[in-house]
């Protein structure tokens, strides 16, 4: 059993992970509940026979915000479905970003308790703060509507996620958010943001498709004709 496998086996015993399944191919502990995926990813790397470094990320994915725009997204289906809606690294909750273990485990008893504490705090923060899609809306979308924060300056998935969450949860604010977001998107296009540029000339089609969808079942469905 190498040092990474030892970490996984110990984490399996933690109460906070009892409802999670470890998925070896994704190096993640995953739990799915009512269209939401809760994930603890143990991103790690071995450096020959010297050491292993690990950088945990706790994340939440609300499936309904992602599935409908797979047909427009330039990323591979696999990459899209591995993506999360919101994630937190340990450094974002006041802990180290990287935890280094000697390959032979010489410093395991010193480093593991620190990693364990960071993981638990990271999970508690993420899965409490973003327990529901309404939480996500309140934390990420509402500040933009209220003019307290700017929309993200990089990436593209947030456009789909923010607009969809608003349309599902607070449709009365959708037009306002759409205007704010698309003004920002235009600015990012002019600035040459590489992800946003890929959708240039396609936004009208994408938004029309989003606005045609019926989310009343909790999933995106085209309305019956």
């Amino acid at each position: 059993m190498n040092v990474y496998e030892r970490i996984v086996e110990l984490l399996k015993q933690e109460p906070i992970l009892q409802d999670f399944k470890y998925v070896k191919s994704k190096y993640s502990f995953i739990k799915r509940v009512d269209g939401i995926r809760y994930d603890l990813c143990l991103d790690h790397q071995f450096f020959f026979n010297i050491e292993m470094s690990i950088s945990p990320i706790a994340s939440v994915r609300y499936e309904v915000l992602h599935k409908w725009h797979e047909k427009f997204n330039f990323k591979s289906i696999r990459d899209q479905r591995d993506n999360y809606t919101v994630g937190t690294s340990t450094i974002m909750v006041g802990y180290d970003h990287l935890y280094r273990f000697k390959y032979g485990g010489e410093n395991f008893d010193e480093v593991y308790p620190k990693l364990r504490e960071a993981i638990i705090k990271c999970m508690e923060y993420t899965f409490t703060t973003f327990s529901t899609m309404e939480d996500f809306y309140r934390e990420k979308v509402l500040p933009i509507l209220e003019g307290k924060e700017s929309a993200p300056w990089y990436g593209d998935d947030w456009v789909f996620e923010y607009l969809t969450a608003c349309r599902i949860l607070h449709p009365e604010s959708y037009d306002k958010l759409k205007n704010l977001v698309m003004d920002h998107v235009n600015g990012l296009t002019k600035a040459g943001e590489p992800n946003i540029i890929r959708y240039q000339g396609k936004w009208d089609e994408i938004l029309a498709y989003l606005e045609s969808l019926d989310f009343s079942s909790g999933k995106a469905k085209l309305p019956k004709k």
Side-chain angles (χ1 to χ4, degrees):
M1 182 183 297
N2 63 37
V3 66
Y4 175 76
E5 293 167 339
R6 187 177 173 188
I7 290 169
V8 169
E9 290 306 310
L10 286 172
L11 288 175
K12 286 179 180 179
Q13 301 173 31
E14 292 294 334
I16 197 170
L17 284 164
Q18 288 308 293
D19 294 332
F20 286 71
K21 178 182 178 181
Y22 180 69
V23 181
K24 186 176 180 180
S25 62
K26 298 184 181 299
Y27 306 117
S28 293
F29 286 88
I30 295 174
K31 178 174 71 172
R32 300 178 190 273
V33 181
D34 297 332
I36 304 176
R37 185 188 75 201
Y38 303 93
D39 188 313
L40 171 67
C41 179
L42 302 175
D43 188 25
H44 66 285
Q45 186 173 0
F46 283 94
F47 297 92
F48 304 103
N49 294 333
I50 301 172
E51 70 174 22
M52 185 221 47
S53 65
I54 185 167
S55 303
I57 297 177
S59 66
V60 179
R61 174 184 168 98
Y62 312 96
E63 295 290 351
V64 70
L65 302 186
H66 295 261
K67 296 287 288 184
W68 71 266
H69 61 83
E70 287 181 351
K71 63 183 289 182
F72 300 105
N73 205 302
F74 63 86
K75 305 176 190 69
S76 71
I77 289 294
R78 179 175 180 177
D79 285 347
Q80 289 184 60
R81 293 180 181 176
D82 281 343
N83 279 350
Y84 48 77
T85 312
V86 61
T88 309
S89 63
T90 49
I91 198 172
M92 294 168 68
V93 290
Y95 291 84
D96 291 337
H97 173 61
L98 199 66
Y99 293 82
R100 300 179 184 275
F101 291 82
K102 298 293 186 183
Y103 185 82
E106 295 88 346
N107 65 341
F108 192 92
D109 291 342
E110 174 190 351
V111 180
Y112 179 75
K114 298 175 183 178
L115 171 67
R116 173 187 176 275
E117 179 181 347
I119 284 174
I120 290 173
K121 293 297 183 182
C122 192
M123 291 180 67
E124 288 176 343
Y125 168 77
T126 307
F127 301 152
T128 299
T129 305
F130 299 101
S131 177
T132 68
M133 193 163 61
E134 185 70 51
D135 294 330
F136 170 74
Y137 176 87
R138 183 187 65 250
E139 293 290 328
K140 296 294 186 179
V141 181
L142 190 57
I144 296 172
L145 278 165
E146 294 178 340
K148 295 178 180 178
E149 293 184 13
S150 173
W153 290 96
Y154 59 89
D156 58 291
D157 290 332
W158 66 269
V159 178
F160 306 118
E161 296 158 10
Y162 288 20
L163 289 175
T164 308
C166 187
R167 186 164 182 273
I168 293 171
L169 298 171
H170 295 278
E172 73 282 358
S173 299
Y174 174 78
D175 287 339
K176 178 181 179 181
L177 181 67
K178 180 171 72 169
N179 290 335
L180 290 170
V181 165
M182 294 317 297
D183 282 347
H184 193 67
V185 164
N186 289 336
L188 291 176
T189 301
K190 292 176 182 177
E193 205 291 327
N195 298 286
I196 292 294
I197 283 177
R198 289 174 177 263
Y199 298 99
Q200 193 168 8
K202 301 178 182 178
W203 289 112
D204 287 345
E205 178 189 1
I206 294 171
L207 294 178
Y209 184 75
L210 167 60
E211 291 161 10
S212 74
L213 295 173
D214 174 10
F215 292 97
S216 60
S217 68
K219 297 181 179 179
K221 299 190 301 182
L222 282 169
K224 294 181 180 179
K225 296 182 180 180

